[in-house]
Amino acid sequence: SAVISQKPSRDICQRGTSLTIQCQVDSQVTMMFWYRQQPGQSLTLIATANQGSEATYESGFVIDKFPISRPNLTFSTLTVSNMSPEDSSIYLCSVVSSTDTQYFGPGTRLTVL
Amino acid sequence: GQSLEQPSEVTAVEGAIVQINCTYQTSGFYGLSWYQQHDGGAPTFLSYNALDGLEETGRFSSFLSRSDSYGYLLLQELQMKDSASYFCAALFSGGYNKLIFGAGTRLAVHP
């Protein structure tokens, strides 16, 4: 299984600011995914990040709000822009193994005041 | 469309057996995964079924029936530490594989 780390693990931010979350994997992976989990809810896929191409966003999520970078096969960032309290969530990155198993990072717990 | 349904809550006692069911919409379905998530933690992979039938991993087993668009997670010899949320998640193929999660089942194990 892949070992995934995320930074920061948690943050408290002011309304209107932006936060960039980093995701690092210990092996090269083709696809990385970003999910959001609002309090008490399930996981919702934000976008798929492929190296060398623009991220593919799910319905309800747009690049201006959640810009994603994928500079190489072991790293990705998700930025939450112009934050509001509704953006308070856990943000998780994940990767798919060669056996179609998806593994998750520890998550970034974001609180927007 | 792509959606999954599972019960919101299940309660059981230590040592018992629990089955958590999951039904899904089939458009582009590729396989079914199960994840465990403790409060404050990240989802942890439990099992993945790409083919019909039963997969057993220790006390946990997972089953898939493609013809019924149905699967379940079976937890045996329940322990207090099994109290957590359990998510079924369907892998859908559409140019790239993506995992869509059910709403989750909160399992409470009592002494």
Side-chain angles (χ1 to χ4, degrees):
Chain A
S1 64
V3 177
I4 306 169
S5 60
Q6 287 185 231
K7 289 182 183 179
S9 58
R10 59 178 63 232
D11 207 341
I12 300 173
C13 301
Q14 295 297 319
R15 182 194 300 259
T17 63
S18 297
L19 175 72
T20 295
I21 302 167
Q22 299 179 8
C23 179
Q24 180 76 52
V25 189
D26 69 342
S27 58
Q28 293 185 339
V29 293
T30 303
M31 291 189 289
M32 295 177 75
F33 302 85
W34 287 97
Y35 286 81
R36 180 175 74 182
Q37 187 174 28
Q38 296 177 303
Q41 302 298 309
S42 183
L43 286 81
T44 301
L45 180 62
I46 297 172
T48 302
N50 294 325
Q51 195 267 337
S53 63
E54 282 196 6
T56 302
Y57 289 82
E58 296 299 307
S59 175
F61 297 96
V62 295
I63 187 171
D64 290 346
K65 176 68 176 177
F66 297 101
I68 287 170
S69 78
R70 183 79 199 277
N72 57 55
L73 292 174
T74 63
F75 186 79
S76 179
T77 67
L78 169 76
T79 299
V80 186
S81 303
N82 188 24
M83 288 183 285
S84 66
E86 292 72 33
D87 294 320
S88 297
S89 290
I90 300 172
Y91 291 85
L92 301 120
C93 68
S94 71
V95 302
V96 178
S97 74
S98 58
T99 58
D100 286 333
T101 299
Q102 196 157 349
Y103 296 99
F104 286 83
T108 296
R109 188 179 295 271
L110 172 62
T111 301
V112 184
L113 303 177
Chain B
Q2 299 163 344
S3 65
L4 299 94
E5 290 191 12
Q6 56 182 124
S8 59
E9 290 184 11
V10 174
T11 302
V13 297
E14 272 188 300
I17 299 172
V18 153
Q19 178 173 314
I20 300 174
N21 298 321
C22 176
T23 58
Y24 58 87
Q25 296 293 319
T26 59
S27 176
F29 177 82
Y30 196 78
L32 191 69
S33 295
W34 288 91
Y35 288 82
Q36 178 192 62
Q37 187 178 33
H38 287 98
D39 288 345
T44 303
F45 172 78
L46 293 177
S47 68
Y48 172 64
N49 293 68
L51 303 174
D52 282 2
L54 191 67
E55 294 278 344
E56 297 181 76
T57 308
R59 294 187 298 114
F60 295 177
S61 303
S62 59
F63 173 82
L64 176 66
S65 170
R66 287 176 169 271
S67 60
D68 296 323
S69 299
Y70 163 76
Y72 66 72
L73 179 69
L74 190 72
L75 299 85
Q76 303 182 73
E77 301 173 17
L78 281 174
Q79 302 175 9
M80 296 292 289
K81 68 178 182 180
D82 297 328
S83 294
S85 291
Y86 292 84
F87 295 91
C88 60
L91 189 63
F92 290 99
S93 180
Y96 57 92
N97 291 344
K98 62 179 182 180
L99 206 58
I100 304 299
F101 280 76
T105 298
R106 190 160 188 89
L107 171 64
V109 181
H110 298 289

